[in-house]
Amino acid sequence: MPTTIIKRVLFTKFLKYVVLTPLAISFINPNTLKSGVEFQWNNQDNFKRLNWYQRDNKKSARNTVFLFLRKSDRKTGLLKVNVKVPKAFFSKIKKEKVNLCQVQIGGFTNKTKCLVNTPADIELNKEKNTIDIFPSSPIPSDKDNYAIVLKVTNPNRGGLYQFHSFGQSSGNIPVSFYLGSWTLKMQSQ
């Protein structure tokens, strides 16, 4: 057989194993596939997925959640950030446990951590289940990555919890706009 045919057959077999193995594992035990697959009910064009990181995803566990506002997610500077929080999470949030910071987004070689705390006024609105964050100076659009850090106790029920964020632009006429949404997953076991 010519070598091009052999290479093509080996390549297709390799692709089958790479693509089908994670899917087969996820059907056997859905909790083993931790990331890489995110499903959005009623996916719309105006939905924008934002990145996040959490230290512990077990129910009723102490958790630190980083809700990232990367430089590519911000088109303008931000005077105000508003986060709509799910009801199950909002009862666990305390004002002193919410923080805005310049963040190092972790990967294989380094971990996610706050580099510099950004001074900000934080308000919790219990009727609307929102967190309003007013940084002392506007968050620039073209510089570093920022994160809203929540130190909370996870809800008693597992599942998906969606946080929506809105920003108010800095400029002559401040305009509110949709920044995106974070979908956190909590284990049900």
Side-chain angles (χ1 to χ4, degrees):
M1 275 200 321
T3 58
T4 57
I5 295 174
I6 293 172
K7 287 181 182 179
R8 189 179 313 145
V9 169
L10 288 174
F11 183 71
T12 56
K13 285 184 178 183
F14 174 74
L15 279 181
K16 285 180 186 177
Y17 288 118
V18 168
V19 172
L20 296 178
T21 302
L23 292 174
I25 291 171
S26 71
F27 283 116
I28 295 169
N29 185 1
N31 291 329
T32 58
L33 190 62
K34 299 271 186 211
S35 63
V37 178
E38 183 171 311
F39 182 75
Q40 175 71 28
W41 294 101
N42 194 12
N43 199 8
Q44 300 171 354
D45 292 337
N46 57 2
F47 174 81
K48 184 176 179 187
R49 185 178 67 86
L50 298 176
N51 292 343
W52 53 274
Y53 172 75
Q54 64 181 349
R55 299 250 165 100
D56 194 352
N57 66 350
K58 295 178 179 65
K59 64 180 184 175
S60 301
R62 287 189 190 174
N63 194 5
T64 302
V65 179
F66 292 86
L67 304 174
F68 297 127
L69 294 169
R70 296 178 305 166
K71 55 186 168 189
S72 60
D73 297 331
R74 302 185 313 268
K75 296 176 188 164
T76 64
L78 297 174
L79 286 174
K80 172 187 170 186
V81 178
N82 177 285
V83 180
K84 175 82 170 107
V85 181
K87 287 181 185 176
F89 252 98
F90 194 78
S91 63
K92 310 278 185 176
I93 296 175
K94 295 181 176 75
K95 185 177 177 179
E96 355 12 282
K97 302 288 185 174
V98 178
N99 189 14
L100 177 68
C101 67
Q102 185 180 335
V103 71
Q104 170 187 321
I105 299 176
F108 290 112
T109 59
N110 50 14
K111 70 184 232 178
T112 300
K113 63 181 177 180
C114 282
L115 299 175
V116 178
N117 284 334
T118 304
D121 292 328
I122 296 167
E123 296 177 2
L124 301 178
N125 187 337
K126 295 195 185 255
E127 289 99 31
K128 295 181 181 177
N129 292 342
T130 60
I131 302 171
D132 292 322
I133 301 171
F134 301 94
S136 58
S137 61
I139 298 172
S141 62
D142 58 349
K143 289 196 174 180
D144 301 309
N145 297 319
Y146 286 83
I148 300 165
V149 181
L150 307 173
K151 294 182 180 178
V152 296
T153 303
N154 288 342
N156 296 331
R157 301 181 77 177
L160 298 175
Y161 295 93
Q162 197 164 50
F163 294 70
H164 302 287
S165 64
F166 301 90
Q168 190 172 23
S169 64
S170 60
N172 295 339
I173 302 172
V175 177
S176 293
F177 58 95
Y178 173 70
L179 286 171
S181 297
W182 301 280
T183 305
L184 273 65
K185 180 184 175 189
M186 296 295 151
Q187 286 184 355
S188 57
Q189 302 169 7

